[in-house]
Amino acid sequence: AQPITWHVTMLGEVGSNDEGPLPWIERDYTPISSALEWERGRCEILIKIYQDGCLTSWLKQQSKHNLGAEPSIWLSKPIRTLSVPSLASEDDGLRPASVLLLLAGTGIVALPQILAHREPHRML
């Protein structure tokens, strides 16, 4: 099977906001958990909080001020982001001895998903 990275869309009911007439804000995030964890009902997302970010500042406020209350947040089904066929075994069973992945910025969050597929027993 080919390694596939995926993302989810988070929808937060933030109330009145500057992004439009609806009380929701939507953002895409790449989970740091694996697809298997998703299938088991767990999804971990690493989110950088921006002070001026509509959704992230709201999330931070919810975690500080609404302990015990559940904010209205929804996650979409996983959406395929990237397929990396060169990391999969060839039909003849050959695999490269090593792989060099150069990721930076927001691309770094795809790394755990790729490594989990490549070396499932030696995950980050």
Side-chain angles (χ1 to χ4, degrees):
Q2 295 180 10
I4 296 173
T5 61
W6 52 286
H7 71 274
V8 294
T9 299
M10 179 183 289
L11 184 68
E13 189 173 356
V14 301
S16 180
N17 64 80
D18 295 335
E19 292 196 9
L22 299 176
W24 305 288
I25 293 180
E26 147 183 336
R27 296 287 186 272
D28 291 337
Y29 293 103
T30 302
I32 57 174
S33 51
S34 69
L36 180 59
E37 288 172 308
W38 172 271
E39 291 171 0
R40 293 179 177 165
R42 183 179 180 98
C43 182
E44 294 181 4
I45 301 172
L46 179 64
I47 300 174
K48 181 176 180 178
I49 303 293
Y50 292 96
Q51 287 183 339
D52 297 337
C54 290
L55 185 60
T56 58
S57 60
W58 177 80
L59 285 170
K60 183 178 179 181
Q61 177 185 6
Q62 297 305 304
S63 66
K64 284 185 174 182
H65 301 298
N66 290 340
L67 297 176
E70 294 185 21
S72 297
I73 299 172
W74 296 270
L75 291 179
S76 71
K77 293 180 180 178
I79 301 163
R80 182 178 173 163
T81 305
L82 174 69
S83 175
V84 190
S86 61
L87 293 181
S89 297
E90 299 295 325
D91 290 337
D92 57 11
L94 296 176
R95 286 179 75 162
S98 63
V99 176
L100 174 64
L101 298 173
L102 301 175
L103 301 168
T106 58
I108 195 73
V109 294
L111 184 63
Q113 291 180 7
I114 293 170
L115 290 179
H117 183 85
R118 174 92 176 138
E119 299 289 341
H121 304 292
R122 295 175 44 196
M123 281 187 54
L124 294 176

